[in-house]
Amino acid sequence: MYFSELFQIEYKAEFDWFDPILENDTLLFVDPFLVFADSDSNWRQAYGEMMAYFQSAFTLLASSKLNPKHQYYRRTLSLMEFPEPREFRLGFAGKSSAGSGSGPGLARKVVEAMTQAIQRGIKDIEHFEELGILVSGINKDRISDITCNLLKSQLIQYTQEICHSLNVPMEVRKIRHSAYDEMRSRWMDAEHLTPVDPESNTPILLVPKRFLRELPTLSSDNWSEFLDTSLRDDLNIKISQGMKKEDFIALARSHPAVLRQWIQYSEERGSNPYDVDSDPMLHVNWQRLAREAISAEPVRETPRISNADDLLNFAHSAIEHFRRWVEKKGGWRAFWRDLKGLKSIPETNMQLLFLGVLDHYCEQAGVILDREVETGRGPVDFTFTSAGNFRVLLEMKKLTHGEFWHGLHTQTPIYMDSQGVDHAIFLSVRDSTSRPMNERWMKLDLEAAAAGEANSCRIEVARIDIMPKESASNS
């Protein structure tokens, strides 16, 4: 359910705020650079306050002479602890919006980045995201978390103003990390008037959709692109696709002046938010599309499940239910962000659409469909579970995935062994008809049989073809 649906608001594209899905985090992130560059002076001031907070911590750390036992060093660590701001329903969190949280581990990484900067002669920071270029582990999710934490008081007020204008009811709830005690230099939990999700009894906070991106403007991806196009010859280095993030971090550490040059270049070039309303990557509208799919392909009957084979057959029938919508009812269009260039949406969003369409279908049969279930050796894409604790694992891979065969031969058997499961389905999504991909498509049954025999397990194959279809009149 979307926020607008919960409070019976007719959502309009001209709304300034992002309409979050309440049960699932949306794979978009608040980009602090867009706050910095905003035309609204109030948001620019809020960004200035956020950077002043970081600068004071930067100065405090420098005063410790980078001694981990110094009280100023320990104080900096506490200032850099930012819990997951679950109220926004953004970022990485799999099926639910609970998130994995962040705290001391993130603080150590941020302070490590600040230490690296100080050791290389950087005496202040212009944008805190540059710390993510100096140390791995400060990814887009963490940058967004930090931004939401430091702007939380402004975003609470922003949410309250929207709710007042739309007559959305609010209740008093405690929000973590929402008040800063200047005297004690410490973040406090405080009570605020906010809209509440009745399902989880948790507060909801809204953000301006013009602050959302898939990647921060100042990210390692853009840094590497800048090096490749502008400074490769100057630095006498060879930028290749095989370079790892650690290689770009090493370049940033050894060339702090170039890092600052990139930041200035980014400020002059500017940045654009993700287009939430057209949603080319299907980060937001997958739930609405899932409902349309359910209407287009209604459930006819649900089988009774009394053993593992029944559940395996049910899982295949669920996939077939989804496949009919994709291949016969025009659902394949949802899988492409660009039909002309044939660029498909991310695999994770394909999985969300699969979950959205089949969740109700499974529920009617008394089957639980879980996404990204932790196996102890990594997360499996889906698990079908029925009464009697019968389970079937499902791995879903684009045909063009770089680790397609690794997923079949290695990952799937490992997940099955970790979960003590004898049955799995390897679902291939066909997103190319090139000759190598056609060969891969045709070899899949043989390879699955070989993987099952080698690992003494049963891996079956399912296929969904999302390639564009001709209309009936042109077929």
Side-chain angles (χ1 to χ4, degrees):
M1 179 178 289
Y2 295 86
F3 174 85
S4 59
E5 294 172 333
L6 173 63
F7 295 107
Q8 299 180 343
I9 300 165
E10 183 182 352
Y11 179 78
K12 300 176 183 177
E14 57 262 30
F15 285 160
D16 181 70
W17 47 276
F18 173 66
D19 189 15
I21 299 171
L22 301 182
E23 303 89 352
N24 293 74
D25 282 357
T26 299
L27 204 60
L28 292 173
F29 308 89
V30 175
D31 181 6
F33 188 90
L34 292 175
V35 184
F36 156 78
D38 198 59
S39 59
D40 188 317
S41 60
N42 291 325
W43 285 114
R44 292 201 307 274
Q45 180 180 343
Y47 180 86
E49 292 170 0
M50 180 170 66
M51 289 311 303
Y53 178 89
F54 260 97
Q55 188 56 51
S56 65
F58 203 83
T59 303
L60 191 67
L61 179 64
S63 300
S64 75
K65 302 196 184 309
L66 308 182
N67 178 2
K69 295 183 180 179
H70 198 285
Q71 62 174 334
Y72 288 168
Y73 190 99
R74 295 197 301 270
R75 172 62 67 186
T76 307
L77 275 173
S78 67
L79 289 174
M80 292 299 109
E81 284 194 23
F82 300 102
E84 164 124 33
R86 300 174 182 176
E87 305 85 5
F88 299 96
R89 277 72 172 172
L90 296 168
F92 299 112
K95 184 177 179 181
S96 75
S97 60
S100 57
S102 56
L106 173 63
R108 285 192 293 272
K109 287 185 178 297
V110 174
V111 172
E112 180 189 349
M114 294 165 71
T115 300
Q116 291 285 345
I118 291 169
Q119 288 174 336
R120 281 161 175 77
I122 298 176
K123 298 180 180 179
D124 56 11
I125 53 174
E126 298 175 6
H127 299 272
F128 78 83
E129 311 95 288
E130 67 184 281
L131 298 176
I133 313 300
L134 294 169
V135 171
S136 63
I138 306 176
N139 59 18
K140 56 188 178 182
D141 200 29
R142 300 312 184 207
I143 288 171
S144 181
D145 283 356
I146 291 170
T147 306
C148 288
N149 271 285
L150 292 176
L151 295 180
K152 195 171 282 185
S153 62
Q154 290 89 350
L155 291 168
I156 289 171
Q157 182 180 347
Y158 175 80
T159 302
Q160 290 170 341
E161 291 171 355
I162 289 167
C163 290
H164 284 310
S165 68
L166 295 172
N167 295 317
V168 172
M170 292 184 283
E171 301 174 31
V172 174
R173 288 292 185 277
K174 182 176 286 188
I175 297 181
R176 293 181 67 197
H177 211 265
S178 59
Y180 186 64
D181 188 327
E182 293 278 0
M183 290 291 292
R184 292 188 288 175
S185 299
R186 184 173 300 169
W187 285 98
M188 310 290 289
D189 299 345
E191 292 186 335
H192 302 272
L193 203 59
T194 71
V196 174
D197 178 0
E199 187 70 25
S200 59
N201 197 32
T202 55
I204 306 166
L205 293 180
L206 304 175
V207 299
K209 59 188 177 185
R210 66 183 185 277
F211 293 162
L212 299 179
R213 278 176 59 88
E214 294 179 279
L215 283 173
T217 303
L218 301 181
S219 66
S220 56
D221 287 27
N222 292 336
W223 161 246
S224 61
E225 178 186 317
F226 176 72
L227 286 174
D228 192 30
T229 58
S230 303
L231 296 167
R232 178 174 48 194
D233 296 334
D234 293 344
L235 296 178
N236 194 27
I237 57 175
K238 182 179 180 181
I239 307 297
S240 70
Q241 290 183 342
M243 288 185 71
K244 299 178 181 178
K245 183 174 181 180
E246 288 71 21
D247 300 322
F248 291 113
I249 288 172
L251 286 171
R253 289 176 175 177
S254 57
H255 297 87
V258 177
L259 183 64
R260 287 299 170 87
Q261 187 178 343
W262 164 63
I263 291 171
Q264 183 179 356
Y265 164 78
S266 299
E267 289 180 355
E268 293 170 354
R269 185 182 60 173
S271 182
N272 294 310
Y274 179 74
D275 190 339
V276 167
D277 294 306
S278 68
D279 192 25
M281 303 296 277
L282 205 65
H283 292 306
V284 183
N285 289 318
W286 63 268
Q287 196 172 90
R288 294 186 178 96
L289 281 170
R291 290 177 192 160
E292 292 175 10
I294 293 168
S295 298
E297 190 68 28
V299 176
R300 296 180 179 86
E301 58 180 288
T302 52
R304 294 182 61 184
I305 298 168
S306 56
N307 55 49
D309 283 330
D310 286 347
L311 181 60
L312 181 63
N313 291 332
F314 171 80
H316 276 295
S317 73
I319 294 167
E320 176 61 19
H321 182 79
F322 185 70
R323 189 189 68 80
R324 282 198 302 270
W325 171 69
V326 173
E327 297 182 10
K328 306 296 184 184
K329 304 284 186 176
W332 56 267
R333 292 181 179 85
F335 288 79
W336 299 97
R337 55 179 169 143
D338 178 6
L339 280 174
K340 292 182 179 179
L342 285 184
K343 295 179 181 178
S344 60
I345 63 173
E347 191 174 86
T348 52
N349 293 351
M350 294 182 181
Q351 293 170 1
L352 280 172
L353 190 55
F354 182 85
L355 175 68
V357 171
L358 293 183
D359 206 23
H360 180 63
Y361 179 80
C362 291
E363 184 181 349
Q364 285 189 304
V367 173
I368 299 171
L369 177 61
D370 285 317
R371 179 171 175 258
E372 293 187 348
V373 177
E374 184 55 53
T375 64
R377 299 289 299 277
V380 67
D381 291 337
F382 293 97
T383 301
F384 293 88
T385 307
S386 68
N389 202 31
F390 301 117
R391 280 175 296 166
V392 171
L393 304 188
L394 184 144
E395 273 291 294
M396 182 177 183
K397 284 272 190 291
K398 284 185 183 182
L399 190 63
T400 55
H401 196 291
E403 296 189 349
F404 185 83
W405 291 127
H406 175 75
L408 174 61
H409 288 286
T410 304
Q411 284 183 320
T412 301
I414 286 174
Y415 296 154
M416 294 175 73
D417 182 61
S418 297
Q419 291 285 290
V421 173
D422 297 323
H423 300 80
I425 299 173
F426 191 83
L427 173 59
S428 175
V429 179
R430 187 179 198 175
D431 60 334
S432 171
T433 54
S434 68
R435 183 173 179 177
M437 292 303 105
N438 282 342
E439 291 176 357
R440 180 176 288 186
W441 184 254
M442 298 302 293
K443 285 174 60 179
L444 186 53
D445 291 282
L446 289 174
E447 294 289 339
E453 185 176 351
N455 294 279
S456 302
C457 60
R458 183 175 174 183
I459 303 175
E460 299 193 355
V461 168
R463 295 174 172 86
I464 292 175
D465 187 349
I466 66 169
M467 295 304 295
K469 312 294 186 290
E470 289 185 353
S471 66
S473 60
N474 293 331
S475 296

